[in-house]
Amino acid sequence: AQSVTQPDIHITVSEGASLELRCNYSYGATPYLFWYVQSPGQGLQLLLKYFSGDTLVQGIKGFEAEFKRSQSSFNLRKPSVHWSDAAEYFCAVGARDKIIFGKGTRLHILP
Amino acid sequence: NAGVTQTPKFQVLKTGQSMTLQCAQDMNHNSMYWYRQDPGMGLRLIYYSASEGTTDKGEVPNGYNVSRLNKREFSLRLESAAPSQTSVYFCASSSGWVFNQPQHFGDGTRLSIL
């Protein structure tokens, strides 16, 4: 069955430190991959997407993600986090007839 | 530029009452979606509309109905609200072909069923 797993429910990092949020998926074909961010009380905002081509994709707010087919992963990274990055992050897999969201990773930033 | 607008933002209902959640987008998108978000569950798709005049069930359609009123508007109706429908509801829209396009989300409707 198709699925998306975000292994970390919560992650805490210090401001200025690097960040990696994990996402693993199970899908038979090449999926369409997305990362979204949700600030408290708001809807989801697209950070970046992968459809095909270069496996390292750049997004907004200094985020990037790398698609690794062999590992079925699409991890989100940022070299140096800011306090404003505190939010919940969702990985999603889009297919022909459905979209599946991970359960989210809540990011906490220490000053 | 408003994007996706949802009304109301908050609502409290009693069990058995009915209600319609409204959603409108001004981006000329073809596809629209309704999700519910519950703690620890991520987003789950209730219904979607790939284009004006069509609607399809998502992962959790039971207890809900939808209407794609026109290209801009997509409403979600709870005919007889139940406490299990207490949730945050999000409407979204996208251009192009349904699930392979990025979605634009509204700010949500927080619904409590007593």
Side-chain angles (χ1 to χ4, degrees):
Chain A
Q2 295 134 350
S3 65
V4 177
T5 302
Q6 293 181 245
D8 304 303
I9 298 174
H10 294 272
I11 281 186
T12 301
V13 299
S14 298
E15 191 170 14
S18 63
L19 171 69
E20 183 170 32
L21 302 182
R22 296 182 290 164
C23 174
N24 294 97
Y25 67 90
S26 172
Y27 184 67
T30 300
Y32 296 87
L33 297 164
F34 307 90
W35 274 101
Y36 289 88
V37 60
Q38 184 181 30
S39 297
Q42 297 186 9
L44 278 68
Q45 179 186 19
L46 179 73
L47 283 175
L48 47 76
K49 62 185 185 289
Y50 173 78
F51 291 166
S52 65
D54 192 349
T55 56
L56 183 64
V57 294
Q58 303 297 321
I60 63 170
K61 304 185 181 188
F63 285 92
E64 67 178 24
E66 186 171 13
F67 171 58
K68 294 186 177 181
R69 184 188 305 274
S70 62
Q71 298 178 19
S72 297
S73 69
F74 188 56
N75 294 348
L76 182 71
R77 302 194 294 247
K78 186 170 184 178
S80 175
V81 298
H82 186 263
W83 64 266
S84 60
D85 294 323
E88 192 158 19
Y89 293 79
F90 293 93
C91 179
V93 173
R96 182 180 180 88
D97 60 349
K98 65 177 66 177
I99 185 164
I100 304 170
F101 283 84
K103 295 184 178 181
T105 297
R106 185 166 295 279
L107 175 63
H108 306 271
I109 307 294
L110 294 175
Chain B
N1 188 354
V4 178
T5 303
Q6 293 183 236
T7 55
K9 296 188 183 305
F10 302 92
Q11 186 69 49
V12 178
L13 294 177
K14 294 181 179 179
T15 298
Q17 287 185 316
S18 63
M19 172 165 193
T20 299
L21 308 185
Q22 306 287 351
C23 175
Q25 52 92 9
D26 62 3
M27 295 171 285
N28 200 35
H29 283 169
N30 289 322
S31 302
M32 297 185 73
Y33 315 81
W34 276 105
Y35 295 91
R36 61 178 290 173
Q37 184 178 35
D38 302 290
M41 299 293 291
L43 272 75
R44 293 182 291 170
L45 183 65
I46 305 172
Y47 271 93
Y48 67 98
S49 171
S51 61
E52 186 178 356
T54 69
T55 60
D56 286 284
K57 295 178 180 179
E59 181 184 356
V60 289
N62 291 345
Y64 304 96
N65 286 300
V66 290
S67 296
R68 185 72 183 267
L69 305 171
N70 47 56
K71 191 170 186 178
R72 291 187 63 250
E73 298 173 288
F74 188 40
S75 63
L76 177 73
R77 183 162 177 84
L78 287 70
E79 290 291 352
S80 179
S84 60
Q85 295 177 303
T86 292
S87 188
V88 182
Y89 291 85
F90 287 98
C91 177
S93 69
S94 69
S95 62
W97 183 34
V98 201
F99 301 114
N100 68 354
Q101 295 295 321
Q103 298 184 17
H104 298 256
F105 286 81
D107 285 337
T109 294
R110 284 145 188 84
L111 183 60
S112 294
I113 315 296
L114 305 179

